[in-house]
């Protein structure tokens, strides 16, 4: 049975849980990010139920609003971070240090120091050089750094090249053959405690095969490590579970989106991957980001103008690449729906923002119910990699964020003001 999304239409009006989306847009203005608490909880629990013996570290980079982190922390999640800034946010949102992991190819010395001082669960080593630096820093602090070694298994995740991280030419992780020596070396370093192996092959992966391939790779690799006298206790399998972006909301008054896309159900993922990984006897962690937060968030904007040129129809909205960069960055597809369905008539239009860049579009040649100046629209599945990559380009103000809980709602980040635009600059005296 298809579970109902917590965003749905009632009498042709878009709701989030028990709250009309229009009400939030009117009270707080647009563009605005709106999140469903129930959807976050449901997404997390569906993963937790499928992976009952594993630890789930939520990947902060998908969305790091502390009010959202608090919900996940209360459900038992840990935090997967990629910078000291994210470690700082995680700690200040209540995550225990022993539930925080830290990955990334270019960790600065200061970041490593911060991680070790805070005694986090693991630093995931991505190069032979980094291992030595971590040992040195730990030694100076008179502490032991717990590490995982990130392997690049050379597996094609069959996703967009910009979010594929596990192929040979990618900058992430260490070549498996070369890594054997890194594992060996780690055992001889005085201030390093080797926990195990880390992989993360990419993001928005909707086929289970690349994950199965990675699991098999890890199983064989661990046998190889054992032959070399290296015993590990931990596997961090990364994140990357893909979600649906098309036909997220289906309604008789909305056009059905062509070339419907797939999603990877956690139970399918678990059924295929767990039996392989469990053979190792290792403790398991997973680091999903998108799967937990993507469909729990939307961004709502207003139609500023509609414009017809000889070549195209344009719907010009207050949502631009500064609020949601995914379409400009990877030609990502997001379903776009009117907050109130007024017309059964549809048109084909480019939905664009005000930013002075041709790449500033949310959708191109999109079939959408006809909308007019002043109407609200919602961009679906915008909870992940949305707000976190917003910017002030064109001196635009970052949007507000609201969390919905049934009929209650909470402002969880205020909209920026003009003062914010100048708050960090320093005027010269002359
Ligand atoms: C980005 C990232 C994740 C999360 O990826 P999702 O596709 O959002 O699940 C997990 N682990 C690492 C190391 C990452 O860089």
């Amino acid at each position: 049975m298809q579970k109902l999304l917590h965003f749905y239409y009632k009498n042709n009006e878009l709701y989030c849980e028990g709250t009309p989306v229009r009400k939030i847009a009117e009270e707080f203005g647009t563009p605005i990010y709106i999140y469903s608490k129930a959807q976050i909880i449901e997404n997390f629990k569906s993963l937790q139920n499928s992976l009952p013996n594993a630890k789930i570290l939520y990947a902060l980079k998908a969305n790091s609003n502390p009010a959202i982190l608090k919900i996940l922390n209360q459900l038992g999640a840990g935090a997967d971070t990629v910078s000291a800034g994210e470690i700082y946010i995680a700690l200040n949102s209540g995550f225990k240090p022993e539930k925080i992991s830290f990955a990334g190819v270019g960790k600065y010395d200061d970041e490593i120091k911060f991680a070790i001082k805070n005694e986090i669960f693991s630093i995931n080593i991505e190069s032979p050089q980094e291992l030595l630096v971590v040992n040195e820093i730990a030694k100076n602090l008179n502490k032991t750094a717990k590490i995982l070694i990130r392997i690049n298994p050379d597996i094609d995740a069959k996703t967009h090249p910009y979010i594929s991280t596990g192929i040979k030419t990618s900058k992430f992780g260490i070549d498996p053959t070369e890594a054997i020596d890194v594992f060996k070396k780690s055992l001889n370093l005085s201030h390093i405690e080797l926990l195990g192996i880390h992989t993360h092959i990419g993001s928005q992966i909707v086929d289970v095969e690349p994950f199965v391939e990675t699991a098999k790779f890890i199983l064989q690799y661990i046998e190889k490590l054992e032959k070399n006298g290296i015993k590990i206790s931990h596997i961090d399998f990364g994140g990357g579970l893909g979600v649906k972006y098309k036909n997220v909301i289906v309604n008789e008054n909305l056009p059905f989106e062509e070339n419907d896309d797939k999603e990877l159900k956690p139970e399918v993922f678990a059924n295929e991957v767990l039996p392989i990984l469990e053979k190792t006897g290792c403790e398991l962690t997973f680091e999903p980001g998108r799967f937990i937060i993507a469909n729990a968030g939307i961004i709502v904007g207003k139609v500023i103008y509609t414009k017809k040129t000889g070549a195209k129809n344009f719907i010009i909205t207050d949502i631009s690449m500064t609020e949601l960069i995914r379409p400009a960055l990877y030609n990502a597809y997001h379903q776009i729906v009117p907050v109130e369905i007024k017309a059964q008539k549809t048109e084909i239009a480019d939905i664009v923002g005000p930013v002075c860049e041709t790449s500033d579009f949310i959708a191109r040649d999109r079939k959408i119910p006809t909308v007019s100046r002043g109407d609200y629209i919602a961009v679906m599945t915008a909870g992940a990699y949305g707000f976190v990559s917003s910017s002030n380009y064109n001196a635009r103000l970052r949007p507000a964020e609201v969390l919905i809980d049934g009929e209650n709602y909470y402002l969880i980040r205020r909209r920026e003001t003009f003062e914010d635009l100048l708050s960090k600059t320093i005027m010269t005296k002359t």
Side-chain angles (χ1 to χ4, degrees):
M1 199 186 78
Q2 181 77 31
K3 272 210 205 102
L4 201 66
L5 195 71
H6 291 280
F7 295 94
Y8 61 93
Y9 282 101
K10 190 155 98 187
N11 304 323
N12 285 328
E13 172 147 10
L14 186 65
Y15 273 70
C16 174
E17 303 191 21
T19 305
V21 165
R22 154 179 293 276
K23 185 177 170 183
I24 303 300
E26 281 172 353
E27 185 169 337
F28 298 101
T30 58
I32 189 160
Y33 274 96
I34 298 176
Y35 305 102
S36 157
K37 181 175 179 179
Q39 190 71 52
I40 297 170
I41 294 175
E42 198 172 295
N43 292 347
F44 183 79
K45 286 195 169 164
S46 75
L47 261 181
Q48 208 175 32
N49 292 339
S50 299
L51 305 165
N53 300 317
K55 274 195 216 140
I56 296 171
L57 308 182
Y58 166 68
L60 246 70
K61 79 176 194 283
N63 188 319
S64 56
N65 185 292
I68 289 170
L69 297 181
K70 183 173 158 188
I71 298 168
L72 292 165
N73 184 32
Q74 283 170 351
L75 292 170
D80 168 49
T81 66
V82 291
S83 70
E86 285 190 352
I87 298 174
Y88 174 83
I89 294 174
L91 289 169
N92 280 281
S93 304
F95 286 94
K96 296 230 171 72
E98 61 267 26
K99 290 179 113 177
I100 299 175
S101 72
F102 182 22
V105 287
K107 302 179 196 79
Y108 307 159
D109 291 14
D110 282 350
E111 294 187 298
I112 293 168
K113 205 181 274 180
F114 187 72
I116 296 175
K117 269 190 179 161
N118 281 291
E119 301 184 349
I120 66 167
F121 166 65
S122 76
I123 297 177
N124 301 350
I125 302 292
E126 305 219 12
S127 66
Q129 197 171 32
E130 186 188 352
L131 176 69
L132 301 179
V133 170
V134 170
N135 182 57
E136 202 53 41
I137 293 173
K139 193 171 162 186
N140 291 338
L141 293 170
N142 204 16
K143 295 214 182 228
T144 299
K146 285 184 278 193
I147 64 150
L148 298 169
I149 293 174
R150 180 167 178 181
I151 298 296
N152 181 342
D154 193 20
I155 285 165
D156 184 356
K158 300 185 183 71
T159 181
H160 191 284
Y162 285 12
I163 50 178
S164 219
T165 54
I167 50 174
K168 228 185 174 88
T169 50
S170 149
K171 70 177 177 179
F172 298 99
I174 306 176
D175 173 83
T177 311
E178 191 186 352
I180 297 281
D181 271 344
V182 182
F183 276 96
K184 274 187 189 158
K185 187 159 238 168
S186 74
L187 297 179
N188 298 326
L189 292 172
S190 54
H191 290 74
I192 293 285
E193 181 188 341
L194 173 70
L195 300 179
I197 187 169
H198 176 221
T199 55
H200 171 71
I201 58 167
S203 194
Q204 184 53 18
I205 302 167
V206 292
D207 294 312
V208 79
E209 287 79 20
F211 287 123
V212 172
E213 230 184 298
T214 305
K216 286 181 180 160
F217 171 87
I218 290 176
L219 181 61
Q220 284 177 356
Y221 196 76
I222 289 179
E223 284 167 13
K224 204 163 158 189
L225 286 176
E226 280 171 1
K227 275 186 202 137
N228 281 276
I230 302 154
K231 210 154 159 44
I232 63 166
S233 59
H234 209 98
I235 300 169
D236 182 339
F237 197 68
L241 274 89
V243 301
K244 224 172 143 44
Y245 282 94
K246 285 183 176 170
N247 300 304
V248 179
I249 290 198
V250 182
N251 180 284
E252 56 193 7
N253 295 321
L254 293 177
F256 190 80
E257 301 185 286
E258 285 169 17
N259 303 317
D260 198 17
D261 57 359
K262 292 194 276 188
E263 64 190 319
L264 182 51
K265 297 246 186 275
E267 43 297 3
V268 174
F269 174 81
N271 286 343
E272 297 280 329
V273 165
L274 280 187
I276 304 169
L277 294 178
E278 279 168 354
K279 281 186 198 156
T280 63
C282 285
E283 254 180 82
L284 301 176
T285 54
F286 295 88
E287 310 166 330
R290 188 189 309 267
F291 179 85
I292 289 171
I293 194 66
N295 72 356
I298 63 173
I299 178 163
V300 175
K302 204 177 204 171
V303 176
I304 312 169
Y305 301 110
T306 55
K307 172 161 110 171
K308 286 188 197 324
T309 67
K312 279 198 174 213
N313 298 327
F314 289 97
I315 297 169
I316 302 158
T317 76
D318 56 3
I319 306 174
S320 71
M321 66 194 292
T322 53
E323 291 74 40
L324 183 68
I325 203 173
R326 299 187 69 255
L329 198 59
Y330 358 85
N331 207 17
Y333 190 105
H334 285 264
Q335 186 180 20
I336 299 172
V337 299
V339 167
E340 211 178 344
I341 302 177
K342 294 174 181 163
Q344 290 198 308
K345 232 176 60 192
T346 60
E347 62 180 300
I348 292 183
D350 278 17
I351 299 158
V352 301
V355 167
C356 301
E357 294 282 349
T358 303
S359 62
D360 180 33
F361 62 88
I362 305 299
R364 280 187 164 152
D365 299 318
R366 180 65 59 84
K367 195 172 182 185
I368 181 173
T370 302
V371 289
S372 324
R373 174 174 157 80
D375 288 350
Y376 291 118
I377 58 155
V379 180
M380 305 305 295
T381 326
Y385 305 104
F387 185 87
V388 282
S389 36
S390 63
S391 79
N392 290 122
Y393 185 42
N394 280 209
R396 289 172 59 79
L397 307 174
R398 280 199 183 79
E401 294 178 287
V402 166
L403 179 69
I404 310 276
D405 182 7
E407 287 171 11
N408 300 319
Y409 50 89
Y410 308 93
L411 185 66
I412 58 172
R413 182 181 170 110
R414 67 161 174 82
R415 184 178 306 286
E416 288 183 351
T417 62
F418 287 158
E419 290 73 39
D420 289 321
L421 291 177
L422 292 177
S423 65
K424 290 157 213 147
T425 56
I426 300 167
M427 183 57 84
T428 50
K429 293 253 158 51
T430 53

